[in-house]
Amino acid sequence: MRQIKLTRYRKWRNRFHQGWMVIALLGMLLIPLVLVAGLILKSMLLLNTQSVLGLLTSTDWSPLSGHFGFLPFIVSSLWITILSLLISAPVCLLTAIHLTQYAKRWVLRVMHPVIDILAGIPSVIFGVWGILVIVPFISHQLGPLFGKSVSGYSILAGAIVLSIMIIPFMLNMLIDIFRAVPEELKEASLSLGASKWQTIKRVVVKKALPGIVSSFGLGMSRAFGETIAVLMVVGNVTRIPTGVFQPGYPLPALIANNYGEMLSIPLYDSALMLAALILFMVVLMFNIFSRWLIVKTETQS
Amino acid sequence: MMNTKNEERLFRVLMFFSTVFIVGVLLLIVGSVLYKGVPSLSFAMLTSIPKGGFYFGEDGGILNAIIGSLYLSFGATFLAFIIGWPIALYMNVYLVKYHTLVNAIRFVFDVLWGVPSIVYGAFGFILMVFLGVRASLLAGIITVSLFIVPIMVRAIDESLKSIPHGLLESSLSLGSTRSEISYRIFSREAFQGIITAILLSFGRAIGDAASVLFTTGYTDRIPTSLLEPSATLPLSIFFQLSSPIAAVQDRAYASATVLIVMVLVISLLSRLIGNRRF
């Protein structure tokens, strides 16, 4: 009799736990849908009065008179994202090849904590560092070098800070990708008389190419959505930037900077939610494409 | 024309320097923040709240931000844990037969991991307006937990994934229910991984500014209930650094030092507890 009771209790407990697991999982899987629905619903107010194309290509941003042109912000975001990738991609690629192909074991043992710590530093700390080091450096050294007198709060400062932020993220992925290149492939190339460098260039990098591309894609999407650190050093001037020493105003900074004022004007609120929606969509596409590339190559090999 | 030998030599030098560059940058970041922050740290700074407003008052410290950040991060990590832990177990104990489904779920969480925290912040704000809640500790905890659940799930999932399949089969054949296998056997087996996941999520929660900007607000006082707004360390840095008053900026640097020390301790702990790969 006790045995049966115990069995019943265990069955009930199993059902309870399973129930909670299913609810939690379904709830979390619903989040992206609810998120998109919420953002679309909020931005409909603006989209009903103006066309998407008009909003995305207009440069006139004056919320008080109801003009919402997103172009300056989109252009700033693109400048900063692409520039930060141009800085960090070669560093990551070179370091990843060094660590996986040449370096001794102790170097890896040192570098792993370094990468992990760098990845764990909060973005606001990167912002403080940008203000303390990068902005004065651009203002006092780099600017005069190009014959310009600049404040330092610029596209370039944002891009440098961002590039350091995405290095640990991309480097971790690249190390895993290079590690996954089969040893036999390298040995086959070496035994045919290719030197180590030729093998790396023509075999290892070639084999890892889809992975490299997707890690850069994920790095870019990380850079595109980064807020606080960029906001602190980029200058925040609503104008289409024409050079790296000029201030910019990327999309995430736009949202973060105006959260207080937006409530008084319904259309303004709606415009900022549209900015969040654009951000979400771009990041989503980059993510899906990059991860799909990884999955595709994994199933092929 | 450069021959292969010289080319390799050139690239090895470049590789060496890029590796050194990364170490150097990390030292520069930690060094420059500590250099500015340590002199402004004092017992009074750590144990008092701002007097006369966080933006204009010259006196007072950052206790409101320290306590607020701890409340927020503990709350969010706890909430994310009781949601994320069962999800990871469900994927590895219950759904283990359905490879495609599990991989699809992993894909969704990976993508959610990549969503910028400002988007979660905006979403949290929409929810708040919808429910008629003011900026408060509770709203912040919910928003931040939404944003760290994917991290929690994927990190625990990674360590559960490596548990041999035979353990599940032999436990089932001995008559365990799947929930017993989940919480008694698999969780014990992946204990280190779970602790690391919690620390990782906690680190993310305490350092993120964009998601709490809309939802938690900022105040000089230490919150006494979940429905009050609260100060947080990242926002304490962000707001007070832009002040023209040097004494207020000192509070920002002190907050930065506290935050960076916390993050370093977290990453040291996770290294000690979960002896990681390699």
Side-chain angles (χ1 to χ4, degrees):
Chain A
M1 199 56 204
R2 261 189 76 196
Q3 197 62 44
I4 293 173
K5 245 187 184 163
L6 190 70
T7 316
R8 216 176 270 159
Y9 167 66
R10 289 174 59 206
K11 257 191 188 148
W12 179 84
R13 193 176 52 183
N14 185 36
R15 221 167 276 161
F16 168 78
H17 280 303
Q18 188 174 356
W20 174 239
M21 286 169 173
V22 173
I23 291 171
L25 179 61
L26 291 181
M28 276 315 290
L29 293 181
L30 271 178
I31 291 291
L33 300 179
V34 179
L35 204 155
V36 174
L39 290 177
I40 290 179
L41 212 66
K42 275 283 186 180
S43 42
M44 269 333 266
L45 191 63
L46 181 63
L47 292 178
N48 280 339
T49 59
Q50 285 160 56
S51 74
V52 187
L53 209 65
L55 288 169
L56 295 185
T57 54
S58 160
T59 58
D60 182 14
W61 180 265
S62 37
L64 292 173
S65 48
H67 295 296
F68 299 97
F70 282 99
L71 196 62
F73 309 102
I74 294 171
V75 172
S76 288
S77 270
L78 289 178
W79 267 93
I80 293 175
T81 308
I82 291 168
L83 205 57
S84 71
L85 191 73
L86 285 181
I87 300 169
S88 57
V91 175
C92 285
L93 205 53
L94 287 170
T95 310
I97 294 174
H98 181 63
L99 291 178
T100 52
Q101 313 295 329
Y102 288 103
K104 300 210 168 62
R105 283 198 75 80
W106 69 265
V107 180
L108 255 177
R109 268 208 290 278
V110 173
M111 285 308 284
H112 266 288
V114 166
I115 298 170
D116 280 358
I117 293 173
L118 201 57
I121 290 183
S123 67
V124 68
I125 299 281
F126 281 98
V128 174
W129 173 69
I131 291 177
L132 285 178
V133 179
I134 300 299
V135 169
F137 172 72
I138 292 176
S139 167
H140 300 314
Q141 265 93 37
L142 221 52
L145 200 67
F146 288 89
K148 286 181 174 144
S149 109
V150 286
S151 72
Y153 291 91
S154 55
I155 297 273
L156 185 61
I160 292 176
V161 169
L162 258 188
S163 67
I164 305 299
M165 290 185 72
I166 60 175
I167 279 179
F169 181 66
M170 297 200 306
L171 189 53
N172 260 334
M173 277 188 286
L174 285 176
I175 289 176
D176 285 345
I177 286 159
F178 280 121
R179 233 173 244 287
V181 174
E183 205 59 37
E184 303 89 72
L185 220 62
K186 276 190 270 176
E187 278 161 12
S189 163
L190 289 172
S191 70
L192 287 173
S195 74
K196 186 161 183 180
W197 176 244
Q198 285 169 327
T199 305
I200 290 172
K201 221 168 45 169
R202 306 253 163 79
V203 179
V204 177
V205 170
K206 196 173 174 194
K207 179 77 187 162
L209 199 60
I212 295 172
V213 172
S214 73
S215 80
F216 287 169
L218 289 173
M220 268 180 93
S221 85
R222 181 61 49 111
F224 199 75
E226 183 47 53
T227 313
I228 294 290
V230 183
L231 169 64
M232 287 165 84
V233 298
V234 84
N236 304 322
V237 174
T238 314
R239 198 180 51 206
I240 292 186
T242 49
V244 292
F245 288 110
Q246 288 187 4
Y249 205 161
L251 276 173
L254 169 72
I255 306 171
N257 245 352
N258 296 297
Y259 75 103
E261 301 141 52
M262 69 191 189
L263 277 176
S264 47
I265 313 165
L267 271 183
Y268 199 178
D269 178 30
S270 181
L272 292 187
M273 292 304 160
L274 181 61
L277 184 65
I278 297 171
L279 208 59
F280 179 77
M281 286 309 193
V282 171
V283 168
L284 197 69
M285 280 188 310
F286 262 100
N287 258 278
I288 289 178
F289 172 73
S290 306
R291 298 204 183 274
W292 170 79
L293 206 61
I294 297 179
V295 172
K296 209 185 91 180
T297 42
E298 264 176 9
T299 45
Q300 263 175 9
S301 56
Chain B
M1 181 81 191
M2 202 171 12
N3 63 29
T4 333
K5 252 256 133 68
N6 284 337
E7 189 184 294
E8 176 169 19
R9 225 169 268 158
L10 172 71
F11 271 94
R12 285 202 65 174
V13 171
L14 286 177
M15 284 173 193
F16 175 76
F17 278 116
S18 62
T19 311
V20 172
F21 170 76
I22 292 175
V23 181
V25 163
L26 176 66
L27 294 178
L28 185 63
I29 292 172
V30 176
S32 63
V33 171
L34 291 184
Y35 177 75
K36 271 298 230 183
V38 170
S40 56
L41 272 185
S42 65
F43 186 71
M45 179 67 91
L46 295 176
T47 54
S48 61
I49 60 174
K51 296 182 179 75
F54 67 86
Y55 199 76
F56 294 112
E58 299 198 355
D59 292 329
I62 53 169
L63 187 68
N64 59 334
I66 298 176
I67 301 286
S69 252
L70 289 178
Y71 280 165
L72 181 87
S73 317
F74 275 114
T77 311
F78 175 73
L79 196 58
F81 182 65
I82 59 172
I83 297 173
W85 183 36
I87 293 179
L89 286 170
Y90 192 67
M91 285 159 66
N92 286 282
V93 178
Y94 288 77
L95 298 180
V96 73
K97 269 190 293 182
Y98 309 98
H99 281 292
T100 332
L101 180 62
V102 172
N103 281 334
I105 296 172
R106 284 197 182 116
F107 190 87
V108 173
F109 279 110
D110 278 342
V111 170
L112 277 179
W113 189 337
V115 173
S117 61
I118 186 88
V119 173
Y120 284 104
F123 176 61
F125 186 74
I126 295 179
L127 281 185
M128 269 165 49
V129 172
F130 184 70
L131 299 171
V133 192
R134 285 185 315 137
S136 61
L137 199 51
L138 183 67
I141 286 175
I142 292 174
T143 309
V144 172
S145 69
L146 281 183
F147 138 80
I148 60 175
V149 163
I151 302 174
M152 190 76 92
V153 172
R154 287 297 283 123
I156 296 180
D157 174 47
E158 279 302 314
S159 66
L160 288 174
K161 223 163 67 173
S162 59
I163 295 174
H165 210 82
L167 194 63
L168 176 66
E169 282 158 5
S170 49
S171 315
L172 278 176
S173 71
L174 287 171
S176 302
T177 65
R178 285 192 190 249
S179 79
E180 284 163 349
I181 296 173
S182 301
Y183 290 105
R184 297 216 177 131
I185 299 167
F186 267 54
S187 293
R188 195 166 295 171
E189 201 68 17
F191 183 71
Q192 288 183 335
I194 292 175
I195 299 291
T196 327
I198 292 174
L199 287 170
L200 185 68
S201 313
F202 187 83
R204 276 297 136 82
I206 205 164
D208 193 70
S211 58
V212 294
L213 192 59
F214 303 100
T215 51
T216 322
Y218 200 87
T219 160
D220 289 347
R221 294 181 306 115
I222 295 167
T224 49
S225 91
L226 279 174
L227 296 174
E228 282 178 34
S230 165
T232 44
L233 280 170
L235 291 187
S236 152
I237 300 168
F238 178 60
F239 288 143
Q240 299 186 110
L241 199 60
S242 62
S243 163
I245 306 163
V248 176
Q249 285 190 7
D250 272 353
R251 281 211 293 271
Y253 292 125
S255 302
T257 309
V258 172
L259 186 57
I260 213 169
V261 168
M262 281 181 177
V263 168
L264 288 179
V265 167
I266 289 169
S267 97
L268 192 72
L269 272 182
S270 64
R271 194 148 281 281
L272 283 179
I273 293 168
N275 47 357
R276 304 272 284 272
R277 298 161 297 160
F278 316 115

